[in-house]
């Protein structure tokens, strides 16, 4: 039933795109559909993988086959996303970061009801220079990483803080943590740790985007206690890198 719900949610989101693209050119339609569909499919596959792992009454051989199929599909989707990022780097603009986070948290909480995600911000509208779609994808990737690291009753806190030079997004979880010797390698292309279906593209994408925005990604973690990820985004426009 849970898997059926995830698939149904994905199909509904695909159908909702039709109205949005009717008035756009063919090139715009291809670009939007390509990145949005890949983004949504990947998120739904991650949801299904977690629910399969936690499901009772499914034989281990069936779980293994389903997990392998999902892994292959996720690799293909990540390839589509990577090609899109490489060929079509999103333009930098003034973005309402608080609204982006609210939308991502709402979508993620809908899929992962067994994990508490708490969002705190001092103001309703906080602006910074970045690319809205890439920021949304980045936050979703980081939240899914945290979800996969915590136990069934885990908790994730995401805070948006305004500073003198820009905004800081802080994601903290009480998950299993990351070994100290692994931390320096996180964000390198192709490197992953602690994930059966991981390929390292999520943190790599975050690093590359933040470099272009003149932002910064920092990861702190203690094994057995949890992880803290800090994202700094400038409030002023700088020359795109």
């Amino acid at each position: 039933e849970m898997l059926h719900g995830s698939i149904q949610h994905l199909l509904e989101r695909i159908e909702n795109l039709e109205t949005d693209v009717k008035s756009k050119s063919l090139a715009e339609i291809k670009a939007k559909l390509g990145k949005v569909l890949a983004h949504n499919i990947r998120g739904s596959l991650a949801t299904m993988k977690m629910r399969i792992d936690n499901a009772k009454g499914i034989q281990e051989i069936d779980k293994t086959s389903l997990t392998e199929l999902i892994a292959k599909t996720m690799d293909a989707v990540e390839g589509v996303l990577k090609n899109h990022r490489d060929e079509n780097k999103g333009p930098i603009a003034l973005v309402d970061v608080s609204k982006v986070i609210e939308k991502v948290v709402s979508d993620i909480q809908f899929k992962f009801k067994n994990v508490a995600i708490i969002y705190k911000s001092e103001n309703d509208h906080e602006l910074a220079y970045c690319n809205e779609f890439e920021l949304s994808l980045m936050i979703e990737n980081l939240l899914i990483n945290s979800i996969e690291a915590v136990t069934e009753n885990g908790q994730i806190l995401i805070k948006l803080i305004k500073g003198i030079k820009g905004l800081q997004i802080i994601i903290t979880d009480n998950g299993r943590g990351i070994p100290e010797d692994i931390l320096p390698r996180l964000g390198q292309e192709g490197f992953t740790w602690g994930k059966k279906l991981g390929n390292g593209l999520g943190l790599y994408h975050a690093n590359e985007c933040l470099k272009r925005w003149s932002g910064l990604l920092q990861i702190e973690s203690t094994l057995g206690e949890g992880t803290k990820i800090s994202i700094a985004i400038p409030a002023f426009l700088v020359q795109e890198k």
Side-chain angles (χ1 to χ4, degrees):
E1 184 178 342
M2 283 194 241
L3 292 179
H4 178 268
S6 295
I7 295 170
Q8 184 62 36
H9 178 60
L10 171 63
L11 292 175
E12 288 173 359
R13 294 186 71 177
I14 292 173
E15 288 174 4
N16 288 339
L17 289 172
E18 293 179 355
T19 302
D20 188 39
V21 301
K22 281 181 179 178
S23 62
K24 300 184 186 303
S25 69
L26 181 59
E28 288 177 307
I29 291 172
K30 286 181 177 179
K32 184 174 181 70
L33 284 177
K35 64 185 182 182
V36 174
L37 288 179
H39 177 60
N40 288 339
I41 290 169
R42 188 206 41 187
S44 294
L45 288 171
T47 307
M48 284 187 274
K49 193 271 176 185
M50 180 171 288
R51 288 177 175 173
I52 288 170
D53 286 344
N54 296 329
K56 297 178 180 179
I58 300 179
Q59 294 183 5
E60 286 302 317
I61 188 169
D62 294 330
K63 283 189 178 183
T64 301
S65 299
L66 287 168
T67 300
E68 289 176 353
L69 177 60
I70 289 174
K72 290 178 181 178
T73 308
M74 288 181 75
D75 283 343
V77 172
E78 287 290 358
V80 171
L81 283 172
K82 185 176 185 300
N83 288 336
H84 177 82
R85 294 169 195 148
D86 291 343
E87 295 173 8
N88 304 284
K89 292 181 178 178
I92 295 175
L94 197 59
V95 172
D96 189 335
V97 175
S98 51
K99 292 301 179 185
V100 172
I101 296 175
E102 286 174 6
K103 177 67 166 59
V104 173
V105 169
S106 176
D107 288 346
I108 292 289
Q109 194 68 84
F110 176 85
K111 298 174 185 177
F112 301 94
K113 294 182 173 65
N114 60 328
V115 178
I117 303 176
I118 301 170
Y119 170 50
K120 294 183 178 180
S121 176
E122 296 175 353
N123 301 300
D124 291 335
H125 300 280
E126 295 288 9
L127 307 179
Y129 280 94
C130 57
N131 176 267
E132 184 172 341
F133 173 77
E134 290 176 335
L135 176 64
S136 174
L137 186 61
M138 180 190 306
I139 295 170
E140 179 172 303
N141 280 331
L142 295 174
L143 286 177
I144 289 176
N145 285 349
S146 291
I147 288 169
E148 293 177 344
V150 301
T151 59
E152 185 173 345
N153 296 314
Q155 187 176 95
I156 299 167
L157 173 63
I158 178 166
K159 294 173 66 177
L160 180 60
I161 301 171
K162 185 175 183 179
I164 298 174
K165 295 183 178 180
L167 301 181
Q168 190 174 28
I169 303 169
I170 301 175
I171 301 174
T172 309
D173 67 58
N174 60 351
R176 60 178 178 268
I178 303 168
E180 188 176 353
D181 61 315
I182 296 295
L183 289 174
R185 301 183 63 189
L186 295 177
Q188 296 177 5
E189 186 173 12
F191 179 78
T192 186
W193 178 84
K195 295 173 65 177
K196 291 181 180 179
L197 302 181
N199 51 31
L201 283 176
L203 282 174
Y204 172 74
H205 166 249
N207 257 337
E208 292 302 300
C209 285
L210 287 165
K211 285 178 184 177
R212 289 198 296 111
W213 306 340
S214 291
L216 182 66
L217 174 72
Q218 292 181 310
I219 305 174
E220 304 171 45
S221 188
T222 301
L223 202 58
E225 294 185 12
T227 300
K228 175 183 174 182
I229 298 178
S230 301
I231 301 169
I233 307 175
F236 51 88
L237 186 60
V238 296
Q239 186 175 0
E240 188 169 345
K241 296 183 177 181

